[in-house]
Amino acid sequence: MHHHFEMAPRTSRVRVFFAVLVASLVLPLFFPECSSSSVLIARASDPKSDVDLLEFPLNLEYLEAEFFLFGALGYGLDVFAPELAGGGPPPIGAKAANLDNFFKDVILQFGFQEVGHLRAIKSTVKGFPRPPLDLSPSSFAKVMDCAVGRTLNPPFDPYANSINFLLASYVIPYVGLTGYVGANPKLQSATSRKLVAGLLAVESGQDAVIRAFLYERKRQLVHPYGLSVGEFTDRISSLRNKLGKEGLKDEGLVVAKEYGAEKEVNGNILAGDRDSLAYSRTPEEILRIIYGTGDEHVPGGFYPKGACGRIARFYLKHYI
């Protein structure tokens, strides 16, 4: 009897081993751009949920790194830090933006910060190569058209000038910020929480800088569309709320709010709930937004082949 009970868990372990082995061999065939040779080793030493939650934001960090580096320098990770790209395909349509010297300096610093974030995450978990990214003007133009509810003419070009690039920068980093807020309470290890706290602090700083520059120009019209900077931010935030499908988690620069005795304050330099705490989003909400489809199962937008990592791929397995 004693031997009988010893055999059952051993048999189970063998089955699990072969299931994991098969998965590690087969999954890269379906998603070669997201494969990772050492991901199973990482998962053996970290809580599974921690690894998944730390890998997921790589999707946004890759996008931000490429957008900021290209915007400031005209080239991205393949020149600046090719080892971090992991052999993933180069982003489509990214290019140098027509930035004035001040904003070029700021955006370049953002790019360097994103490189650090990629390095920090990938030194904690194995991660995955850079996913296919569409950073072409048309990709941003579609977002802006959806946000304002009409086809802008000429199409919105994020690389045309500093204001356009700042508005385009408003589109993505804040989404990653809300993702870190959402992930933090779900993390099990102190190492994971420390990493996310550090990432969140700098992402929040980037968001504050972007919002402050835009806030200073909130009444300025974005040529030639007849909409102000403030109106653009409000429409973009409304679109993200709509795509995320989980209520109010996003706010533009001009929102009527109550702050205690102050019955109404129209300025909104930072987004936050009624207690001025950051909003949180789940990976599912983030996928709905960055795909632009409102559906975590349907890729598109900046991620034409979908995002990478176990969480994103779980929702895409029925799509292919």
Side-chain angles (χ1 to χ4, degrees):
M1 290 294 290
H2 176 73
H3 291 295
H4 173 75
F5 285 114
E6 281 292 306
M7 287 297 291
R10 188 178 302 149
T11 304
S12 177
R13 284 198 298 273
V14 169
R15 284 176 181 162
V16 168
F17 172 78
F18 279 111
V20 169
L21 180 63
V22 169
S24 68
L25 294 172
V26 172
L27 285 175
L29 299 177
F30 288 101
F31 305 117
E33 68 275 9
C34 296
S35 63
S36 171
S37 58
S38 305
V39 76
L40 295 174
I41 298 170
R43 291 218 166 90
S45 58
D46 287 287
K48 185 175 71 173
S49 61
D50 279 24
V51 174
D52 294 338
L53 288 168
L54 291 176
E55 284 188 340
F56 180 77
L58 280 172
N59 290 293
L60 293 162
E61 299 287 1
Y62 274 123
L63 187 153
E64 292 170 41
E66 295 291 9
F67 186 56
F68 291 144
L69 289 174
F70 266 99
L73 298 173
Y75 56 82
L77 290 173
D78 287 336
V79 173
F80 190 79
E83 72 283 357
L84 291 176
I92 299 166
K95 61 182 180 179
N98 183 26
L99 302 172
D100 61 43
N101 289 335
F102 177 79
F103 283 119
K104 183 176 181 180
D105 178 24
V106 172
I107 296 303
L108 180 58
Q109 291 182 52
F110 283 1
F112 292 159
Q113 290 160 12
E114 298 304 335
V115 170
H117 290 181
L118 287 170
R119 194 168 53 234
I121 296 172
K122 295 185 83 170
S123 64
T124 305
V125 293
K126 177 62 180 176
F128 46 78
R130 174 183 53 203
L133 297 168
D134 185 354
L135 299 179
S136 62
S138 63
S139 188
F140 284 91
K142 288 173 189 170
V143 173
M144 295 304 186
D145 287 352
C146 288
V148 302
R150 61 185 169 92
T151 304
L152 295 174
N153 187 27
F156 182 89
D157 181 359
Y159 304 104
N161 54 60
S162 295
I163 286 292
N164 282 24
F165 195 86
L166 280 173
L167 285 170
S169 299
Y170 182 89
V171 170
I172 293 296
Y174 176 75
V175 178
L177 182 164
T178 57
Y180 285 131
V181 175
N184 203 45
K186 299 175 184 174
L187 295 169
Q188 298 173 45
S189 79
T191 302
S192 301
R193 289 195 296 271
K194 180 182 177 183
L195 173 60
V196 166
L199 293 164
L200 176 56
V202 174
E203 291 289 332
S204 299
Q206 290 180 357
D207 179 63
V209 169
I210 292 166
R211 289 182 75 100
F213 289 144
L214 292 173
Y215 189 78
E216 187 180 14
R217 297 157 177 80
K218 66 180 183 291
R219 292 188 179 86
Q220 181 179 324
L221 291 180
V222 181
H223 183 75
Y225 307 119
L227 291 169
S228 70
V229 166
E231 287 173 313
F232 260 97
T233 64
D234 182 59
R235 305 287 181 87
I236 294 165
S237 287
S238 294
L239 175 64
R240 289 189 296 213
N241 283 327
K242 178 184 172 185
L243 291 173
K245 297 182 177 177
E246 292 294 337
L248 175 66
K249 299 198 174 181
D250 220 302
E251 299 168 342
L253 297 172
V254 185
V255 178
K257 290 178 124 176
E258 289 187 11
Y259 289 98
E262 284 288 337
K263 288 300 180 190
E264 192 173 286
V265 178
N266 289 314
N268 194 47
I269 196 164
L270 292 180
D273 67 13
R274 64 187 303 245
D275 293 320
S276 291
L277 302 178
Y279 294 105
S280 70
R281 284 189 170 109
T282 64
E284 292 78 8
E285 292 170 67
I286 289 170
L287 291 170
R288 294 168 201 157
I289 294 167
I290 62 177
Y291 291 168
T293 61
D295 187 340
E296 61 270 36
H297 304 88
V298 182
F302 300 109
Y303 299 84
K305 294 187 178 179
C308 288
R310 206 168 76 102
I311 294 173
R313 287 294 154 183
F314 172 79
Y315 291 106
L316 290 178
K317 65 185 179 183
H318 301 300
Y319 178 79
I320 58 167

